[in-house]
Amino acid sequence: MKTYVLYNKLSNNGKGQTTAEQLKTHWANHELTFVNARELDDYAGFFAGLQPDDEVCVCGGDGTLNYLINHVDCDSLTNKIFYFPAGSGNDFWTDLGKKPGDAPAQSNRYIKNLPTVTVKGKTSKFINGVGYGIDGYCCEEGDRLREKSDK
């Protein structure tokens, strides 16, 4: 059995790989193989190539998890999938009732049978929230106002 750590090195302002390496303390008895998710061209092919007893730990933020659920048929996955937070917000981790420093959480049941949203003809799954860019727009507007203000 191998445990693949699928990490996003850009998560949490570029600290994703460092956070992923913390798994060595949680899983000292696992044979860990680290895979940079940013360099993985074919998510579906990666998962299709796993042996039946291999495990995958997704290590990133909510965006990394969202990318996974929208590029892999998670409903048909039979391997154990774990999640370990390495993002800046980690809303999914919080939704699981987990705290910083907790061991990775098996997440198979959370990544299956997910709701979808269709925007401009594109259907996407979502796991813990759906956004239409409103939060990003508000941040841009706040930055613009801050530049004009002396307060």
Side-chain angles (χ1 to χ4, degrees):
M1 172 187 79
K2 281 189 175 182
T3 301
Y4 292 92
V5 178
L6 190 57
Y7 70 94
N8 180 353
K9 71 177 187 172
L10 297 181
S11 62
N12 196 16
N13 300 306
K15 299 175 191 167
Q17 184 173 355
T18 302
T19 303
E21 291 180 9
Q22 293 175 10
L23 287 168
K24 293 175 183 176
T25 59
H26 289 287
W27 284 345
N29 59 340
H30 287 234
E31 178 185 340
L32 300 177
T33 301
F34 290 84
V35 178
N36 181 350
R38 305 289 298 188
E39 296 174 357
L40 189 60
D41 293 328
D42 183 8
Y43 266 58
F46 170 79
F47 281 89
L50 296 175
Q51 297 299 312
D53 62 342
D54 288 343
E55 301 173 337
V56 175
C57 184
V58 177
C59 188
D62 295 321
T64 305
L65 194 55
N66 185 64
Y67 191 87
L68 169 80
I69 65 171
N70 281 289
H71 288 83
V72 175
D73 179 10
C74 294
D75 292 334
S76 66
L77 287 177
T78 57
N79 299 84
K80 287 184 181 178
I81 308 298
F82 292 85
Y83 178 72
F84 189 70
S88 53
N90 302 313
D91 293 332
F92 179 70
W93 191 248
T94 302
D95 289 346
L96 295 179
K98 301 292 184 179
K99 296 179 180 68
D102 285 350
Q106 188 172 349
S107 302
N108 292 72
R109 68 183 176 151
Y110 302 111
I111 62 174
K112 294 178 185 267
N113 303 314
L114 293 172
T116 61
V117 64
T118 302
V119 178
K120 295 184 179 180
K122 181 182 178 195
T123 300
S124 300
K125 297 176 185 176
F126 62 97
I127 192 161
N128 63 343
V130 66
Y132 291 93
I134 294 171
D135 53 347
Y137 171 76
C138 290
C139 290
E140 285 179 4
E141 210 37 42
D143 289 343
R144 187 181 64 73
L145 292 171
R146 192 174 8 257
E147 288 174 357
K148 292 181 176 182
S149 175
D150 61 352
K151 296 180 182 177

